[in-house]
Amino acid sequence: MHSIKKTALPKQAWWALLLALLLGLPSLWVGLQLDDFFHWGLVNQRSEVLLTESPLSFYGLFSFLDGNPQRVTDLMNLGLIPWWTNPEVEYAFWRPLTELTHVIDYSLWPQSPALMHVHSLLYFALMLWFGFRLFSAMQGESSAWLWAVFLFALSYSHGVPVGWLANRNSVLAVLFMGLTLFAHHQARSQNQFTSVSANLFFLMGLLCGEVAVSTGTYLFAYALCYERGQIKGRALSLLPYIIIGIIWLALRGAMGYGASGSGHYLDPLQTPWLFLQALVARGLDLIGGLLWVIPPELGSALPEGRRWLYLLLTLLLLIVAWPLLKQDRRARFWLLGALLCLLPVASTIPHSRLLIAASLGAAGFLGLLISAWRNQQLANVGPVKVITPVLLGVLLFLQLGLSALLLPLEMVSMRLAGDSLINQGAKSWALADIPSHAAPILINPPLSSAGGYINGVRDYEGLPVTNKTWLLASGTRALTIQIIDDHTLEIASEQGLYDAKQEGMLRGPQAPFQVGDAVKLAGMTVNIMSVEEGVPTRAHFQFQQPINSDAYDFFHWNSGQVARCQLPDTSHRLTLKLTSKTCEKK
């Protein structure tokens, strides 16, 4: 076993940490975004309608929906979730330690987002520092350690978890993951069966966020690839963590936490077939993001053939790294741990923020590989010898150059997306001009699931909020609108009335719509007239009062602003896009 380094880390670690924090400074500009407004309102008791039954949770910050159909109906009637939400969707996570950090933010400095982001940067610094300590313990303070330190520090996958307050749980989970692995390595290197501190760190990570499940993949890889000795002893060393994990899962399930009925989260235990169907495509997109620095969230804008390219490049990398993998158990540990990390996060839509746990192992493996290449220790021959410098040169450029450029952009990406999709329109909506008896109806917001966010933004800004806001369809596609009769409005889009892939958080493929389905709300009924692949492409919105009465006020999204919409008469149709300046007749 490699001995544990207990001395202070060399100055290069401080330079790597400083560089990462400098690249993270743009996060101070991000402010509150999306779910942050929910959290602020709950802690400050400004959003009582969002409260859920959340055992052993301070404010239920991460318990959006609890699988109760009546609660879903109530929230749809208020316009806080869209009419197409699966009545049985569950979206509730048990993250009490992370929640406590948010309570500190929203209680002590509720109107100072910059301080909240400084708070997140502190956890980011600790996460990196203990990652550096783990590299030092596993690899010594060698060139392999130095490469790993900078690769980990500059990973663009840290951007969103650090820059978005609501995603702080991932930073905290990976912080405790590093502490768990360090303490476990220290104990096993000293021939101890287990470590109480490692067990405690593992539990704390699970109480921060589900990302900490990835700690188990590294522990498994450690026992399988790194440790020597009898397999029985190595397997038994995992037993305390397995017991902790089982207890955590049992408590989590007994208290009603979990995710189901969603298209974003496919629980492998509840919907194994859907998970397996999505695993290959999602897994390859995650590998492309982890090794080749192509943000997985860009996948929908790239050709389908990208996954074959990721697979080919990764196979070439494994061929180049084969001499190292054969002789160095550390390389096998880091690589297997990183790849196994992708399994649990493949349960949701691929995104760079999901790679934060895998980035630790990827940095450790690539640090060893680059060091071996630079020291001419790979001993590749023939065509592989020609490919090696090209492939590793490209890898270095991507992992250090491009990733460092992407890191600050990822830090602010939630602000850029929030401003363009929700914030500007939410703040510009002249709700004070709407008669108190009229229900505001937004026809085509950029996200048809944005109702709760709109009120959250306005409440935080001290602006008037609505008692009820109906959002009818997603503005990401062209909508055709026609009045059928005095009470009925038809909306159609060949692409679907909502984006099943991007907005699938609230309804997954396991709950498809069918022609003839009806969603009944208090004052409006939505009748499904046509469907493609489970998503409505045409629906009739039947209102209790006449459409042209003063009971309703219709609006549309106009390039980031909300504008009043004058509906056409029954002889005309209306075409609406996000860029429509006015309600145009077709």
Side-chain angles (χ1 to χ4, degrees):
M1 295 277 183
H2 294 269
S3 62
I4 299 293
K5 298 284 187 181
K6 295 184 178 180
T7 57
L9 293 180
K11 63 181 180 181
Q12 291 95 326
W14 289 103
W15 285 114
L17 181 64
L18 178 61
L19 180 57
L21 291 176
L22 286 174
L23 292 173
L25 286 179
S27 68
L28 301 181
W29 171 74
V30 173
L32 272 61
Q33 302 299 329
L34 300 179
D35 297 356
D36 299 336
F37 293 109
F38 285 159
H39 296 169
W40 176 87
L42 286 168
V43 173
N44 289 282
Q45 300 182 355
R46 300 285 290 272
S47 302
E48 293 183 5
V49 69
L50 297 175
L51 289 174
T52 59
E53 293 288 336
S54 303
L56 297 183
S57 175
F58 299 102
Y59 292 93
L61 299 191
F62 298 98
S63 301
F64 306 108
L65 294 159
D66 54 12
N68 182 352
Q70 183 57 53
R71 175 177 167 75
V72 169
T73 300
D74 291 343
L75 293 178
M76 286 195 296
N77 281 327
L78 290 166
L80 295 176
I81 55 175
W83 57 266
W84 48 263
T85 301
N86 181 354
E88 297 181 351
V89 68
E90 183 180 17
Y91 206 71
F93 302 113
W94 188 31
R95 301 167 180 171
L97 293 186
T98 297
E99 191 174 13
L100 179 59
T101 72
H102 291 303
V103 172
I104 292 172
D105 282 336
Y106 299 128
S107 298
L108 298 185
W109 38 80
Q111 298 297 329
S112 300
L115 286 179
M116 302 176 194
H117 286 283
V118 169
H119 193 182
S120 286
L121 286 172
L122 172 62
Y123 296 124
F124 178 46
L126 290 173
M127 183 195 82
L128 292 179
W129 190 255
F130 286 109
F132 299 167
R133 291 291 303 275
L134 179 61
F135 293 139
S136 177
M138 297 286 293
Q139 299 178 189
E141 289 161 9
S142 60
S143 60
W145 168 80
L146 188 59
W147 285 113
V149 162
F150 277 91
L151 287 165
F152 186 51
L154 300 181
S155 174
Y156 78 106
S157 66
H158 305 158
V160 174
V162 177
W164 185 23
L165 296 173
N167 202 191
R168 181 187 290 166
N169 64 89
S170 292
V171 179
L172 291 167
V174 175
L175 163 61
F176 284 109
M177 182 177 77
L179 286 167
T180 301
L181 295 174
F182 181 86
H184 181 76
H185 176 62
Q186 187 175 43
R188 298 300 290 168
S189 297
Q190 296 171 357
N191 296 318
Q192 297 176 14
F193 169 66
T194 189
S195 165
V196 174
S197 59
N199 300 158
L200 180 60
F201 289 143
F202 180 52
L203 175 60
M204 293 176 73
L206 292 173
L207 296 179
C208 286
E210 293 72 18
V211 173
V213 169
S214 296
T215 308
T217 69
Y218 281 109
L219 291 167
F220 172 77
Y222 185 94
L224 182 67
C225 299
Y226 185 83
E227 284 201 273
R228 293 171 176 166
Q230 293 186 348
I231 191 68
K232 179 180 179 181
R234 290 149 63 182
L236 284 175
S237 71
L238 302 179
L239 186 58
Y241 305 102
I242 294 173
I243 293 173
I244 292 170
I246 290 174
I247 293 173
W248 171 75
L249 276 174
L251 286 173
R252 183 173 174 266
M255 291 186 293
Y257 293 101
S260 63
S262 168
H264 279 193
Y265 285 88
L266 300 176
D267 191 321
L269 299 178
Q270 295 185 16
T271 54
W273 179 237
L274 284 175
F275 174 74
L276 290 174
Q277 284 181 303
L279 178 59
V280 174
R282 288 180 175 183
L284 287 174
D285 278 338
L286 290 169
I287 287 175
L290 180 66
L291 296 176
W292 308 107
V293 196
I294 306 298
E297 58 268 28
L298 300 181
S300 59
L302 299 175
E304 288 293 324
R306 69 187 183 277
R307 297 189 181 112
W308 290 105
L309 177 62
Y310 300 156
L311 181 60
L312 175 62
L313 289 173
T314 304
L315 289 175
L316 287 175
L317 180 63
L318 291 176
I319 292 171
V320 166
W322 184 244
L324 174 69
L325 291 169
K326 283 196 302 182
Q327 68 183 14
D328 196 324
R329 56 203 169 107
R330 299 170 300 175
R332 296 192 295 272
F333 155 68
W334 287 124
L335 180 60
L336 180 61
L339 293 179
L340 289 178
C341 271
L342 303 182
L343 288 176
V345 298
S347 62
T348 188
I349 299 296
H351 194 282
S352 60
R353 67 191 181 93
L354 302 174
L355 300 172
I356 185 171
S359 69
L360 181 72
F365 165 68
L366 293 175
L368 288 166
L369 181 62
I370 294 168
S371 177
W373 170 51
R374 297 280 294 173
N375 294 326
Q376 300 182 342
Q377 295 173 342
L378 290 181
N380 289 319
V381 295
V384 178
K385 189 174 182 179
V386 177
I387 293 172
T388 299
V390 176
L391 189 66
L392 294 187
V394 169
L395 198 63
L396 263 178
F397 167 75
L398 295 174
Q399 289 284 339
L400 291 179
L402 181 59
S403 185
L405 292 174
L406 286 175
L407 180 55
L409 291 175
E410 291 278 336
M411 289 276 183
V412 300
S413 62
M414 294 306 295
R415 171 70 183 263
L416 298 176
D419 280 354
S420 62
L421 291 177
I422 302 296
N423 301 341
Q424 293 177 2
K427 289 185 282 190
S428 71
W429 199 355
L431 290 175
D433 299 336
I434 301 175
S436 58
H437 62 273
I441 299 173
L442 185 53
I443 300 172
N444 66 330
L447 293 174
S448 56
S449 54
Y453 296 136
I454 289 174
N455 268 348
V457 172
R458 293 184 64 83
D459 196 17
Y460 181 77
E461 296 291 338
L463 299 171
V465 297
T466 64
N467 293 324
K468 175 169 64 178
T469 305
W470 284 326
L471 285 72
L472 303 187
S474 173
T476 55
R477 57 279 322 275
L479 302 174
T480 301
I481 301 170
Q482 183 177 16
I483 292 181
I484 303 300
D485 56 43
D486 288 347
H487 291 264
T488 308
L489 183 70
E490 179 183 277
I491 302 181
S493 172
E494 293 181 358
Q495 298 173 292
L497 298 185
Y498 62 90
D499 188 331
K501 184 174 182 180
Q502 300 300 324
E503 299 185 277
M505 179 182 74
L506 298 177
R507 194 180 195 102
Q510 62 272 51
F513 277 104
Q514 296 180 358
V515 174
D517 284 348
V519 179
K520 296 183 179 180
L521 303 180
M524 180 180 74
T525 299
V526 184
N527 296 293
I528 307 304
M529 309 304 293
S530 63
V531 172
E532 288 291 337
E533 297 182 355
V535 178
T537 55
R538 185 165 62 94
H540 285 177
F541 296 81
Q542 188 173 15
F543 296 91
Q544 191 173 49
Q545 302 296 325
I547 291 173
N548 291 322
S549 71
D550 61 2
Y552 310 108
D553 214 340
F554 288 87
F555 296 83
H556 72 100
W557 205 268
N558 171 18
S559 301
Q561 305 293 316
V562 178
R564 186 168 267 105
C565 179
Q566 182 63 47
L567 293 174
D569 56 37
T570 55
S571 63
H572 293 89
R573 291 184 178 182
L574 178 70
T575 299
L576 275 184
K577 301 178 181 178
L578 286 180
T579 55
S580 296
K581 299 293 184 184
T582 60
C583 292
E584 303 165 351
K585 294 180 180 180
K586 184 177 181 180

